[in-house]
Amino acid sequence: MNDIVRSVRKTAYLTGAAAGAMLLFRNEIDWAAGLMAGILWCVINYSLTVSLFEMALLQKEPKRITRALIIKFPVLYIGGFFILKYKLFPVMSLLTGIGLTLLIIGIMNIWPKRA
C-alpha cells in the first residue's frame, strides 16, 4: 500500500479519535460516533479508490479488482445509504468526519515532502 495512504489513514484516525474524545467529554455520544463513522467511511473509500487505480494501471490481479469493486460499490455505498436513511447519526457529524478526512487527504498530498 502506498505510504501516503498509510499516513492519511493514521492521521485521520488519530485526529478523529482526538475530536471524538473531546465530543465524548462534552457528552455528545451521537456526534462522536457519527464523526468516527464518517472518517471510517471516507478512509475506506479513499483506500479502495487508490488501490483500484493502482491495480488498473498495473493491469494486475483481476480477482482483486473484482473484490475491491464489490466491496466499494455495493457494500460501502449501500451501507452509507442506510446510515443516512435510518438517521443512525446526525448528518452534520457524518459530513464533518468526511470533510475532516478530505482535508487531511488534501494536506498530505499537497504538503511538500521533507528530506
Side-chain angles (χ1 to χ4, degrees), residues 2 4-5 9 17 26 38 43 55 57 70 78 84 93 106 110:
N2 198 346
I4 293 176
V5 174
R9 183 182 295 169
R26 294 187 57 189
V43 166
M55 286 185 276
L57 290 174
I70 288 173
I78 290 174
L84 290 173
S93 68
I110 293 173

Side-chain angles (χ1 to χ4, degrees), residues 19-36:
M22 285 188 281
L23 287 168
L24 287 175
F25 183 70
R26 294 187 57 189
N27 203 20
E28 296 183 22
I29 297 169
D30 54 342
W31 256 83
L35 179 83
M36 291 306 294

Side-chain angles (χ1 to χ4, degrees), residues 1-15 39 42-44 46-48 50-51 54 64 101 104-105 108-109 113:
M1 188 171 295
N2 198 346
D3 288 339
I4 293 176
V5 174
R6 274 190 228 127
S7 62
V8 163
R9 183 182 295 169
K10 186 182 354 177
T11 306
Y13 290 153
L14 288 174
T15 307
I39 288 173
C42 195
V43 166
I44 291 171
Y46 175 68
S47 299
L48 284 171
V50 169
S51 66
E54 286 177 354
R64 268 188 78 197
T101 306
I104 291 169
I105 290 169
M108 294 292 215
N109 286 310
K113 306 277 185 207

Side-chain angles (χ1 to χ4, degrees), residues 90-112:
V91 175
M92 286 306 294
S93 68
L94 292 167
L95 291 175
T96 303
I98 291 170
L100 181 65
T101 306
L102 291 175
L103 179 68
I104 291 169
I105 290 169
I107 290 171
M108 294 292 215
N109 286 310
I110 293 173
W111 199 269

